[in-house]
Amino acid sequence: MKRIFAKEHLCIGCRLCEVHCLVQHSKSKRIITAMTREKSHITPRVRVQESGQVTFALQCRHCERPRCLEACMTGAITRDPKTGIILHDADKCVGCWMCLMSCPVGAIQRGREGHVASKCDLCQGLDVPACVENCPNEALVFEERSR
């Protein structure tokens, strides 16, 4: 399964990955409309982390054995049987935050759209996730790696 990997030595902390993730998950799919009218309702599913001079994009790793899936008591988090992607269904989520607490990398966050969790879905329907496609320094890559 392809996953997103960060190359922190190339990340400049521009946050374009966050912007393009927000736009991809907006209703309009238009950057100006999403950033001005819809921003308060959309949570980017990738976050740029900063520690001194090191920055990198953090998003769901779509783990082989996802602790969030095991912790979710409502069935809101599932694994797509065809792709292996760990998905989140906001309609089933009750905001208990068990997934958030169980994620070892801190990739799940509280969504702005009500009292539900939010996580990367690898931009279902796109060949390359929006954050990867729009990273100006190629600090994010979408590839398959052996473990």
Side-chain angles (χ1 to χ4, degrees):
M1 178 180 118
K2 284 187 170 183
R3 293 183 175 89
I4 299 171
F5 296 95
K7 297 179 181 179
E8 61 274 351
H9 64 285
L10 296 177
C11 180
I12 59 172
C14 67
R15 299 187 184 275
L16 282 173
C17 54
E18 291 178 355
V19 170
H20 286 281
C21 178
L22 188 142
V23 171
Q24 178 59 34
H25 292 92
S26 71
K27 289 180 183 173
S28 66
K29 307 280 192 253
R30 299 180 64 209
I31 193 165
I32 299 300
T33 305
M35 296 300 291
T36 58
R37 295 188 191 140
E38 300 176 46
K39 186 176 180 182
S40 63
H41 304 290
I42 310 163
T43 304
R45 285 119 195 246
V46 59
R47 292 187 321 261
V48 173
Q49 299 291 299
E50 299 178 41
S51 179
Q53 294 183 351
V54 176
T55 58
F56 64 94
L58 174 69
Q59 69 284 328
C60 179
R61 303 289 192 255
H62 300 275
C63 304
E64 292 296 323
R65 187 167 173 223
R67 294 180 189 171
C68 60
L69 176 67
E70 295 169 5
C72 182
M73 61 184 162
T74 65
I77 296 181
T78 59
R79 180 188 303 274
D80 183 298
K82 292 182 182 178
T83 64
I85 295 171
I86 306 303
L87 299 170
H88 177 261
D89 183 345
D91 292 333
K92 291 183 180 178
C93 183
V94 296
C96 70
W97 312 127
M98 292 301 294
C99 58
L100 190 142
M101 292 185 282
S102 66
C103 179
V105 297
I108 300 175
Q109 57 189 319
R110 292 176 185 228
R112 295 179 188 161
E113 297 178 340
H115 194 70
V116 297
S118 177
K119 64 172 286 311
C120 172
D121 60 1
L122 294 177
C123 292
Q124 294 288 283
L126 297 182
D127 292 334
V128 178
C131 60
V132 175
E133 184 72 31
N134 294 284
C135 180
N137 279 15
E138 299 177 4
L140 294 174
V141 294
F142 186 55
E143 62 188 24
E144 195 149 346
R145 291 188 186 172
S146 58
R147 292 199 175 244

